[in-house]
Amino acid sequence: MGDVICTVDVVLLTLRTAALHVLLHRREREPFQNVLALPGGYVHPHTDRDTRDAALRVLQDKLGIQSPYLEQLATFSGPARDPRGWSVSVAYYALVPENLIGNGKDCSGTTALCPVDDLRGLPFDHAQIVETAVHRVRNKSSYSSLPMHLCQAPFTLPQLQTVYEAVLGEPLNKVSFRRKMDELAVLEAIPGAFSSGNAHRPAQLYQLKPAWRHALSVTERGI
Amino acid sequence: MGDVICTVDVVLLTLRTAALHVLLHRREREPFQNVLALPGGYVHPHTDRDTRDAALRVLQDKLGIQSPYLEQLATFSGPARDPRGWSVSVAYYALVPENLIGNGKDCSGTTALCPVDDLRGLPFDHAQIVETAVHRVRNKSSYSSLPMHLCQAPFTLPQLQTVYEAVLGEPLNKVSFRRKMDELAVLEAIPGAFSSGNAHRPAQLYQLKPAWRHALSVTERGI
């Protein structure tokens, strides 16, 4: 059978200034020591229950982020993608609200939040992995509750619409957007909670129902 | 890093008597020697270019089937799925017309074509892999050219509609089905070729345009 290197990589996405960003991590070791890359690592067969578990461990250990919304993306493989040898990387993508990533004052420079449409110098095949993830997220967002995981709760419906518009890259009709949100049936109004602090009248605040914080609701016809 | 077993498995699907069937292969070696299972095997890092290449090799070597429509499904992993140890299986699914599988007179019993909705006794986590593949195929068929790969060319539009209906499990409206096929824009009429041999007037015969024999066309709104 020969030796195959088995790793996981995670594309952790968030929205900053209405643009999708990916969180990169500076590599501690060779190959590509000190280069910003997707957080990843070897599967640990003695302790990981599966590759998903390995991905969650990597997020926790390297970024201090606990069990966000996480889905398997695809598996990348071949003799050339990793200089250490023939390798398989099971890639995952995760979506988090920006506040979960910290306050952006990471002076040590071990992480960097980079816009997905302007990435340069990524090692391995990480550019291709990010591209695949962004394509998947944009596509899946057009008919599901996926973008809600980018939104810090509690949020108003106009705020949520802005998030969808940022991910999909197009303006949405307010009435049809609200109908779609009803159809998805994953939001709950927080009793007595309203937005304040601007000139408009207060808007109802919402959050994801607990059952939908790690699951996806889809519509037949698209957002 | 420890040792991880790296394999591929292929869910090869076809339509027989209007029902999705999966082609199983009798295992030549332990574990589960002589048991019908998904065709699969170790990745060969010295010769496989990637896991997709390994899946194509397995189809060729074990079933004599050459490069059908093949897509990565998902990767399955963990300490318990394979008695040999912690393993990763990169699973693929392939769709072929029934005639490609042979004439069903496989007296040696090394393969068996089984209805996907009535599978029993599959080893490893192969039942879960098949279930994931069938779910993916049914879902993707509802908005794409995917079922066309189950159809032996040349075919008439009524024959193709029957294939879609079998996969989706519901009758389709003829007019809207034809509009969707136009939208997908992957079929070409074969000049001067018409069906014969029944009481109806001859119907135009079609085939997939060459560019679409290994690619997928999708519609925004579903079939």
Side-chain angles (χ1 to χ4, degrees):
Chain A
M1 65 186 266
D3 275 349
V4 172
I5 295 165
C6 188
T7 63
V8 294
D9 285 303
V10 185
V11 183
L12 185 91
L13 296 168
T14 194
L15 270 188
R16 170 176 280 183
T17 58
L20 276 178
H21 283 61
V22 58
L23 191 59
L24 302 177
H25 182 256
R26 207 169 289 283
R27 289 181 57 80
E28 288 154 21
R29 281 186 283 272
E30 294 292 348
F32 305 112
Q33 191 171 16
N34 293 323
V35 173
L36 285 169
L38 293 176
Y42 288 118
V43 167
H44 293 176
H46 298 299
T47 47
D48 294 334
R49 280 166 302 182
D50 50 28
T51 54
R52 178 186 177 82
D53 201 36
L56 290 171
R57 173 178 53 74
V58 161
L59 282 177
Q60 167 69 43
D61 290 357
K62 298 205 167 167
L63 305 173
I65 288 174
Q66 273 186 318
S67 31
Y69 182 82
L70 183 83
E71 270 197 64
Q72 196 182 109
L73 173 65
T75 294
F76 298 79
S77 62
R81 56 176 302 284
D82 187 320
R84 289 166 291 191
W86 214 103
S87 69
V88 158
S89 172
V90 188
Y92 286 80
Y93 64 97
L95 273 66
V96 293
E98 193 190 351
N99 66 301
L100 218 82
I101 285 185
N103 52 17
K105 289 186 192 147
D106 179 3
C107 300
S108 66
T110 56
T111 63
L113 200 54
C114 301
V116 297
D117 293 326
D118 184 28
L119 289 173
R120 268 164 290 194
L122 284 181
F124 307 102
D125 52 358
H126 287 186
Q128 188 196 348
I129 297 178
V130 173
E131 194 188 337
T132 306
V134 169
H135 184 263
R136 177 81 56 88
V137 166
R138 288 195 170 131
N139 183 50
K140 216 159 186 165
S141 294
S142 69
Y143 61 86
S144 78
S145 60
L146 189 61
M148 296 188 191
H149 301 286
L150 296 166
C151 219
Q152 186 187 355
F155 46 78
T156 65
L157 289 179
Q159 285 168 342
L160 184 60
Q161 184 173 336
T162 306
V163 167
Y164 267 87
E165 290 173 335
V167 176
L168 297 176
E170 57 180 16
L172 297 169
N173 173 276
K174 177 177 160 181
V175 173
S176 104
F177 177 76
R178 293 192 172 211
R179 196 171 50 231
K180 291 297 180 182
M181 294 305 109
D182 280 347
E183 233 179 275
L184 288 171
V186 297
L187 293 177
E188 59 187 13
I190 305 170
F194 294 89
S195 69
S196 59
N198 63 28
H200 306 290
R201 79 186 165 91
Q204 175 68 54
L205 288 168
Y206 291 86
Q207 62 189 6
L208 273 172
K209 293 176 188 170
W212 293 100
R213 288 181 194 160
H214 290 86
L216 207 64
S217 174
V218 302
T219 70
E220 287 240 328
R221 287 293 176 186
I223 304 293
Chain B
M1 65 186 265
D3 276 349
V4 172
I5 294 165
C6 188
T7 63
V8 294
D9 284 303
V10 185
V11 182
L12 185 90
L13 296 168
T14 193
L15 270 187
R16 170 177 281 183
T17 58
L20 276 177
H21 283 61
V22 59
L23 191 59
L24 302 178
H25 181 256
R26 208 169 288 285
R27 290 181 57 80
E28 289 154 20
R29 281 187 282 273
E30 294 293 350
F32 305 113
Q33 192 172 16
N34 294 322
V35 174
L36 285 169
L38 293 177
Y42 288 118
V43 167
H44 293 176
H46 298 300
T47 47
D48 294 333
R49 279 166 302 180
D50 50 29
T51 53
R52 179 186 177 82
D53 200 37
L56 290 170
R57 172 178 52 74
V58 161
L59 282 177
Q60 167 70 43
D61 291 357
K62 299 205 167 166
L63 305 173
I65 289 175
Q66 273 186 318
S67 31
Y69 181 82
L70 184 82
E71 270 196 63
Q72 195 182 109
L73 174 64
T75 294
F76 298 80
S77 61
R81 55 175 303 283
D82 187 320
R84 290 167 289 192
W86 214 104
S87 68
V88 158
S89 171
V90 188
Y92 287 80
Y93 65 96
L95 273 65
V96 294
E98 193 190 350
N99 66 300
L100 218 83
I101 286 185
N103 52 16
K105 289 183 191 150
D106 179 4
C107 300
S108 67
T110 55
T111 62
L113 201 53
C114 301
V116 297
D117 294 326
D118 184 28
L119 290 172
R120 267 162 292 192
L122 285 181
F124 307 102
D125 52 359
H126 287 186
Q128 188 197 346
I129 297 179
V130 173
E131 195 189 333
T132 306
V134 169
H135 183 263
R136 178 81 56 90
V137 166
R138 289 195 169 131
N139 182 50
K140 216 159 185 164
S141 294
S142 70
Y143 60 86
S144 79
S145 61
L146 189 61
M148 298 189 189
H149 302 286
L150 295 166
C151 218
Q152 185 187 355
F155 46 78
T156 65
L157 288 179
Q159 285 168 341
L160 184 60
Q161 184 174 338
T162 306
V163 168
Y164 267 88
E165 289 173 335
V167 176
L168 297 176
E170 57 180 18
L172 297 169
N173 173 277
K174 179 177 160 180
V175 173
S176 104
F177 177 76
R178 294 193 171 208
R179 196 171 49 230
K180 291 298 178 180
M181 293 304 108
D182 280 347
E183 231 180 277
L184 289 171
V186 297
L187 293 176
E188 59 187 13
I190 304 170
F194 294 89
S195 69
S196 60
N198 63 28
H200 306 288
R201 79 187 165 90
Q204 174 68 53
L205 287 168
Y206 291 86
Q207 62 190 6
L208 272 173
K209 294 176 188 169
W212 294 100
R213 287 180 195 159
H214 290 86
L216 207 64
S217 174
V218 302
T219 70
E220 288 242 328
R221 287 294 177 184
I223 306 292

